[in-house]
Amino acid sequence: MINLAKRVFLQTLNDKRSLAMILFAPLLILTFIYLLLGNNDYVPTVGIDKGALPAPIVAQLDKQKLNVVELSTDEAANAKQYLKDHRDVDVVFGISQASGASMTLYEPSSKGTKAMNEIQQAIAASNPSAKVNIAFVFGQEGQSTFDSLGYVFLSLFSFFLVFIISGMSLVRERSGGTLERLLMTPVKRGEVILGYTLGYGVFAIIQAILIVLYTVFVLGLSSEGFIGWILLTMVLLAVTAVSFGAMISVFASSELQVVQLIPLTIVPQVFFSGLVPLDTIPYHLGNLCYVMPIYYGAAAIKGVMIYGNGFTHIWPYLLGLVGYSLILYALNTQALKKFRKL
């Protein structure tokens, strides 16, 4: 028993990937969670028409952790349109004799929640019994987490499952000698990568259709825009996942090592898929989203499902997925030189 334990210990000690997954991956993930979900110094912005608000409330708002932007009477009256045109404002707050106090937010989010809490504290300081009506440009109060974050799950499943299957399959073919025998033929490296991508791309299309139809028509996830754009985005995201899996498989000699690389390659992307607003992440780490393919897919799907956007709004994200796929294709083609030089 002691000898067996010693052998397992030494094998693990010599496996750098296992050591990284056991010792360092949890630290990396916990650091991301701390930065994303812990206290941040984000100060929400509220737009108000000072002339239409009682002076005591204006004074209390100035004392809160808020950036106060003064609006004209017309801008405050058309709060929803103002928020569409000024995405840097989190809440428009106003008081009228007809409807009382009201807050209008762009969409349900942690930024909006923080702004609402600060405003409610200001109101409570002058009138504790006051009631506030809440409205959203997109979404509604009290909607389920699945309704508000469904687009995140669509992008994650589309990417993660295809990545796992493609990455493990390519490692299996390499370890079984299939890839080496294929590279002994006149087939070019680029054709090998393209063949694998097209082969798994068929299943990616089927998967995208099944996931979208099931979530929309069976689970009741609503979409403000055309479902076809969601399907297109998920297909591009899945194709990118195939290329990403092929790239990761180059650095893995077994299926277990593909799994070991997940905490370093997939888990960080989850945090930049839309779970939290990127501009609330400290140290400008939100800009890391631009090097993560899941971000482009999630942003495009959110634009269609939540905002009702069409191709004219989501094409930059689709172009990002296409560009990512082309870059990975080129890298994978070069990586095959490890097994054959043409």
Side-chain angles (χ1 to χ4, degrees):
M1 180 182 69
I2 298 299
N3 291 333
L4 177 60
K6 182 179 180 180
R7 181 175 64 83
V8 172
F9 174 79
L10 293 176
Q11 285 179 344
T12 306
L13 188 63
N14 292 327
D15 188 347
K16 296 181 180 179
R17 292 181 179 87
S18 294
L19 285 177
M21 184 179 67
I22 295 173
L23 301 179
F24 300 109
L27 303 181
L28 176 64
I29 295 173
L30 287 173
T31 301
F32 272 115
I33 293 176
Y34 168 77
L35 292 174
L36 298 176
L37 303 182
N39 294 327
N40 58 65
D41 56 358
Y42 178 77
V43 178
T45 301
V46 56
I48 62 173
D49 178 7
K50 289 187 177 181
L53 292 178
I57 292 183
V58 174
Q60 288 295 332
L61 289 173
D62 290 334
K63 295 178 181 179
Q64 301 299 128
K65 294 180 179 179
L66 292 169
N67 291 322
V68 178
V69 176
E70 187 170 0
L71 309 182
S72 66
T73 302
D74 290 338
E75 289 174 334
N78 298 282
K80 291 187 176 182
Q81 185 59 48
Y82 180 83
L83 289 173
K84 288 181 180 180
D85 299 333
H86 301 80
R87 294 292 301 276
D88 55 332
V89 177
D90 299 307
V91 180
V92 172
F93 172 64
I95 297 178
S96 65
Q97 294 181 350
S99 58
S102 64
M103 286 188 285
T104 305
L105 294 81
Y106 188 74
E107 62 181 329
S109 68
S110 59
K111 295 194 300 181
T113 300
K114 193 169 185 178
M116 285 194 299
N117 291 336
E118 295 292 335
I119 294 174
Q120 288 171 341
Q121 290 176 19
I123 296 174
S126 58
N127 187 2
S129 62
K131 295 183 179 180
V132 181
N133 299 314
I134 300 175
F136 295 92
V137 178
F138 297 101
Q140 57 186 355
E141 187 179 9
Q143 66 180 12
S144 67
T145 303
F146 184 73
D147 289 331
S148 59
L149 295 177
Y151 68 93
V152 174
F153 302 128
L154 289 179
S155 59
L156 289 178
F157 286 139
S158 178
F159 189 90
F160 179 71
L161 296 178
V162 174
F163 163 81
I164 286 292
I165 294 174
S166 61
M168 288 188 171
S169 298
L170 291 172
V171 169
R172 189 185 305 117
E173 292 211 351
R174 194 175 74 239
S175 61
T178 304
L179 182 61
E180 284 75 5
R181 290 193 295 270
L182 181 62
L183 291 175
M184 292 175 64
T185 67
V187 178
K188 296 181 179 180
R189 297 192 307 272
E191 294 175 346
V192 172
I193 297 299
L194 187 60
Y196 280 121
T197 303
L198 292 176
Y200 287 111
V202 174
F203 293 99
I205 294 174
I206 297 174
Q207 181 206 61
I209 295 174
L210 285 176
I211 291 178
V212 172
L213 294 181
Y214 183 77
T215 53
V216 172
F217 294 105
V218 178
L219 301 182
L221 183 64
S222 61
S223 175
E224 297 294 332
F226 178 49
I227 295 179
W229 298 127
I230 302 175
L231 289 172
L232 176 60
T233 302
M234 291 189 63
V235 169
L236 291 177
L237 188 61
V239 171
T240 305
V242 173
S243 301
F244 197 78
M247 188 66 194
I248 295 301
S249 68
V250 173
F251 302 98
S253 57
S254 66
E255 297 173 17
L256 175 61
Q257 291 183 357
V258 174
V259 176
Q260 290 174 337
L261 289 171
I262 290 177
L264 300 178
T265 58
I266 301 299
V267 173
Q269 296 192 57
V270 174
F271 299 120
F272 295 88
S273 61
L275 290 176
V276 295
L278 297 176
D279 53 358
T280 64
I281 304 175
Y283 310 116
H284 303 288
L285 292 178
N287 293 324
L288 291 175
C289 67
Y290 298 114
V291 299
M292 300 184 181
I294 287 182
Y295 161 75
Y296 296 100
I301 295 174
K302 179 181 181 180
V304 176
M305 300 193 75
I306 305 299
Y307 306 143
N309 291 339
F311 182 78
T312 55
H313 289 88
I314 68 172
W315 72 264
Y317 303 116
L318 301 183
L319 183 62
L321 289 174
V322 173
Y324 216 108
S325 297
L326 293 176
I327 292 173
L328 288 174
Y329 171 78
L331 293 176
N332 288 329
T333 302
Q334 289 296 114
L336 285 186
K337 286 185 176 182
K338 176 180 179 182
F339 306 101
R340 183 187 75 177
K341 296 183 179 180
L342 295 182

